[in-house]
Amino acid sequence: DTLMVSSIEEVIDFSTEIYPNPTTEKVNVVSYAVTINSIEIYNIHGQIVYSKEVNANAIKIGTTSFSNGVYIMNIKSDKATITRKLIVE
């Protein structure tokens, strides 16, 4: 028997989803472990293109105003900040 010990950050990371990715119109962000406090999305130049206080376990974000490309999403909770790559087509 092997006992696997994960940090709370790993559990939160594993239980956070963004879909569909790549996306064209909207992206869903869901955390099955914690309440999402805020979300920030940055373009490849490091400029913030979206910021929202959430206070929920799930949110839909419209992406039609985003240019096609790769973005970095920071999903913040009380316990951790999860970083995901978002592709808008």
Side-chain angles (χ1 to χ4, degrees):
D1 290 294
T2 304
L3 178 62
M4 301 265 312
V5 177
S6 296
S7 70
I8 188 70
E9 289 87 1
E10 289 172 320
V11 171
I12 295 168
D13 189 23
F14 185 74
S15 65
T16 302
E17 291 184 330
I18 66 168
Y19 63 92
N21 192 16
T23 188
T24 54
E25 295 179 8
K26 67 178 185 257
V27 63
N28 297 287
V29 182
V30 180
S31 173
Y32 298 103
V34 294
T35 299
I36 300 167
N37 291 342
S38 64
I39 295 177
E40 295 174 339
I41 301 176
Y42 297 86
N43 64 19
I44 57 169
H45 305 292
Q47 298 163 318
I48 193 158
V49 295
Y50 179 90
S51 178
K52 182 159 179 94
E53 297 295 318
V54 179
N55 198 26
N57 289 81
I59 184 174
K60 288 182 183 176
I61 300 169
T63 58
T64 55
S65 64
F66 293 11
S67 300
N68 292 357
V70 177
Y71 295 83
I72 301 299
M73 180 181 293
N74 286 339
I75 306 161
K76 297 180 182 180
S77 73
D78 288 340
K79 306 277 188 210
T81 298
I82 304 303
T83 302
R84 291 282 194 274
K85 179 169 69 172
L86 173 65
I87 299 170
V88 177
E89 296 182 329

